[in-house]
């Protein structure tokens, strides 16, 4: 199963865009990239997923490079409530999701 | 819809005791999952199920058992609890493999 690499932590100013990078250089052609986040110690929350085209929903945008070896999650206008651990996950065999340590995003006032 | 409901929210067990963590979903989802999360770490998959009567091991299944007799319920059984099983346990469900997964609020288990 493909592994992902994310920075341990990032800061962002409230109201600015937060750009969270993820490397997944061993991703296979038919494996999706998922993003989840975990606020404090709550259950993870789904954000977005994609295969090769850029995706956007009401929460975020997902930009996947043409070679699919990396992606960026964009929160267009970060708020204090977006402070959380963000997990970038490449779907494994049998659709299993393997969570790494993620990126702690801290949104500052 | 209540979503994914886990009970209990908190539990303290003594070494060697057993217990069942309950998980129920009311979204008619086929896939269900059990994860554990140790402090400062990501979630690790314990067991998963792709439908009633079908279960399979995840990354860390030792010390746990599951069953899936109905679409709605996916209980996790701990036999002979050990301190290494102190963790937060999350149950999740999705309509199909690869779909958005919904997580419960977790069960905080301490084994002393």
């Amino acid at each position: 199963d493909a592994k992902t690499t994310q920075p341990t932590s990032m800061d962002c100013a409230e109201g600015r865009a937060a750009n969270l990078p993820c490397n997944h250089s061993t991703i296979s052609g038919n494996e999706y990239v998922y993003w989840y986040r975990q606020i404090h110690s709550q259950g993870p929350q789904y954000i977005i997923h994609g295969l090769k085209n850029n995706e956007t929903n009401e929460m975020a945008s997902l930009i996947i490079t043409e070679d699919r070896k990396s992606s960026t999650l964009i929160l267009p206008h970060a708020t204090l409530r977006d402070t959380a651990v963000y997990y970038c996950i490449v779907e494994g065999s049998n659709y299993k999701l393997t969570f790494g340590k993620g990126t702690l995003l801290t949104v500052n006032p | 819809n209540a979503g994914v409901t886990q009970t209990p929210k908190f539990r303290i067990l003594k070494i060697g005791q057993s217990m069942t963590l309950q998980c129920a979903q009311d979204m008619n989802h086929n896939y269900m999952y059990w994860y554990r999360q140790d402090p400062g770490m990501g979630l690790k998959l314990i067991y998963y199920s792709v439908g009633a009567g079908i279960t399979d091991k995840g990354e860390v299944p030792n010390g746990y058992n599951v069953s899936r007799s109905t679409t709605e319920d996916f209980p996790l059984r701990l036999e002979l609890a050990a301190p290494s099983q102190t963790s937060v346990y999350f149950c999740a469900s999705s309509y199909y493999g690869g779909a958005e997964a919904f997580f419960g609020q977790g069960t905080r288990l301490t084994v002393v």
Side-chain angles (χ1 to χ4, degrees):
Chain A
D1 294 343
K3 293 191 185 299
T4 62
T5 303
Q6 299 178 253
T8 302
S9 62
M10 295 182 64
D11 286 326
C12 178
E14 188 177 19
R16 304 296 295 268
N19 296 280
L20 291 89
C22 179
N23 287 321
H24 32 78
S25 57
T26 60
I27 193 170
S28 299
N30 59 350
E31 290 178 326
Y32 281 77
V33 178
Y34 293 79
W35 284 84
Y36 282 76
R37 73 180 183 183
Q38 188 174 25
I39 296 174
H40 200 41
S41 296
Q42 298 175 19
Q45 176 190 24
Y46 166 86
I47 301 173
I48 199 168
H49 74 283
L51 183 62
K52 49 186 167 183
N53 297 321
N54 297 338
E55 303 286 346
T56 296
N57 63 20
E58 65 278 5
M59 288 183 67
S61 295
L62 174 60
I63 309 297
I64 302 175
T65 58
E66 194 169 341
D67 62 9
R68 303 212 324 121
K69 293 185 177 183
S70 65
S71 60
T72 301
L73 179 74
I74 302 172
L75 308 178
H77 305 286
T79 70
L80 299 180
R81 289 176 296 180
D82 291 323
T83 292
V85 177
Y86 288 77
Y87 297 99
C88 169
I89 303 163
V90 172
E91 169 193 47
S93 58
N94 290 333
Y95 308 106
K96 290 180 287 187
L97 300 178
T98 299
F99 289 76
K101 292 187 179 181
T103 296
L104 173 60
L105 174 69
T106 302
V107 181
N108 300 306
Chain B
N1 286 350
V4 179
T5 303
Q6 293 185 234
T7 55
K9 289 186 170 52
F10 303 92
R11 183 73 186 267
I12 298 175
L13 274 183
K14 293 184 178 180
I15 295 171
Q17 287 185 322
S18 59
M19 75 165 293
T20 300
L21 280 67
Q22 301 291 345
C23 176
Q25 52 90 9
D26 61 358
M27 297 173 283
N28 201 31
H29 284 173
N30 295 307
Y31 282 63
M32 295 189 75
Y33 314 82
W34 272 108
Y35 289 88
R36 61 174 286 174
Q37 185 174 32
D38 298 332
M41 305 296 288
L43 284 73
K44 293 189 177 181
L45 183 63
I46 305 172
Y47 271 96
Y48 67 102
S49 169
V50 302
I54 306 170
T55 62
D56 206 350
K57 296 178 181 178
E59 190 182 352
V60 289
N62 292 342
Y64 307 94
N65 282 299
V66 293
S67 60
R68 183 97 181 270
S69 56
T70 67
T71 299
E72 294 78 19
D73 301 298
F74 191 38
L76 177 72
R77 178 83 177 162
L78 278 73
E79 306 281 3
L80 298 174
S84 61
Q85 294 177 306
T86 293
S87 191
V88 180
Y89 291 83
F90 290 103
C91 178
S93 72
S94 63
Y95 186 56
Y96 55 85
E100 170 186 358
F102 293 81
F103 283 78
Q105 288 304 299
T107 294
R108 297 180 183 279
L109 176 67
T110 302
V111 182
V112 296

